[in-house]
Amino acid sequence: MFEEIRKAAFAAAEEIIDKAGLTSGQILVVGCSTSEVCGEKIGTASSPDVAQALFDGVYEAAKAKGIWLAAQCCEHLNRAIIVEREALPMAEAVNVIPQPKAGGSFATAAYKAFSSPMAVETIAADAGLDIGRTLIGMHLKRVAVPVRLENDRIGEALVIAARTRPRFIGGSRAMYFEA
């Protein structure tokens, strides 16, 4: 079961990284409900083992492309973000360490795996994966664009993805650059 979850997480992460055109140094934010992956209501059945499998798959895909992974905590920590300090060297850290039922199992796995983890209140990520309806939109750059994934389920959880693009300024007749 855990290997299937790891493979599905890897496939979804690899797909959004490719479809979003992410390049080395950009940030992928992931919100994850292990409860939803297991077929339960969000916030009711946190699973560190499932989270580890999910994290391992996503992190493997991100690291292979030089992408920074940002793990969104649950609402109990106001959806704070766990990230490698090197990814946001000038960011102001907040004083929290996630736990499975206070921050979420996925964020806890990230905190334990990162070499120099820190929590921040907010980021502006380049793309994101929402595994189990966790609402990552607040941590994406403007403008977020939905991305339809072939790998849109992990376990019982729906996987929703988004990329970002520069804002169009100047009205409908303005020339623009599509990233």
Side-chain angles (χ1 to χ4, degrees):
M1 170 181 144
F2 298 124
E3 184 59 19
E4 287 176 22
I5 289 171
R6 187 199 66 74
K7 285 179 181 178
F10 176 87
E14 187 176 57
E15 186 176 355
I16 186 59
I17 289 166
D18 290 342
K19 285 186 172 180
L22 296 183
T23 58
S24 182
Q26 289 189 297
I27 298 174
L28 173 69
V29 64
V30 176
C32 178
S33 168
T34 58
S35 300
E36 290 280 334
V37 171
C38 295
E40 302 296 329
K41 182 181 170 196
I42 194 169
T44 63
S46 188
S47 171
D49 293 332
V50 169
Q52 191 63 57
L54 290 159
F55 176 82
D56 289 348
V58 172
Y59 197 43
E60 180 184 350
K63 283 182 77 170
K65 299 280 183 155
I67 306 300
W68 293 111
L69 176 59
Q72 178 180 274
C73 293
C74 73
E75 67 181 296
H76 297 102
L77 296 184
N78 299 320
R79 304 211 189 284
I81 294 289
I82 305 302
V83 68
E84 288 278 14
R85 191 172 305 276
E86 188 179 343
L88 301 171
M90 304 306 288
E92 182 179 353
V94 294
N95 192 19
V96 69
I97 298 174
Q99 303 298 313
K101 296 202 179 253
S105 292
F106 186 83
T108 301
Y111 193 91
K112 289 178 180 177
F114 290 163
S115 61
S116 182
M118 78 171 176
V120 296
E121 279 191 276
T122 188
I123 61 167
D126 302 288
L129 281 177
D130 182 324
I131 303 168
R133 300 180 178 108
T134 59
L135 301 175
I136 60 164
M138 67 190 285
H139 294 301
L140 292 170
K141 288 179 181 174
R142 296 177 65 168
V143 171
V145 178
V147 174
R148 184 178 294 260
L149 298 179
E150 290 178 29
N151 300 291
D152 66 353
R153 290 253 176 214
I154 299 177
E156 298 298 315
L158 178 63
V159 179
I160 299 171
R163 65 175 178 85
T164 61
R165 65 155 174 81
R167 292 182 235 184
F168 296 148
I169 304 297
S172 63
R173 297 181 190 267
M175 298 298 291
Y176 64 89
F177 170 74
E178 180 68 37

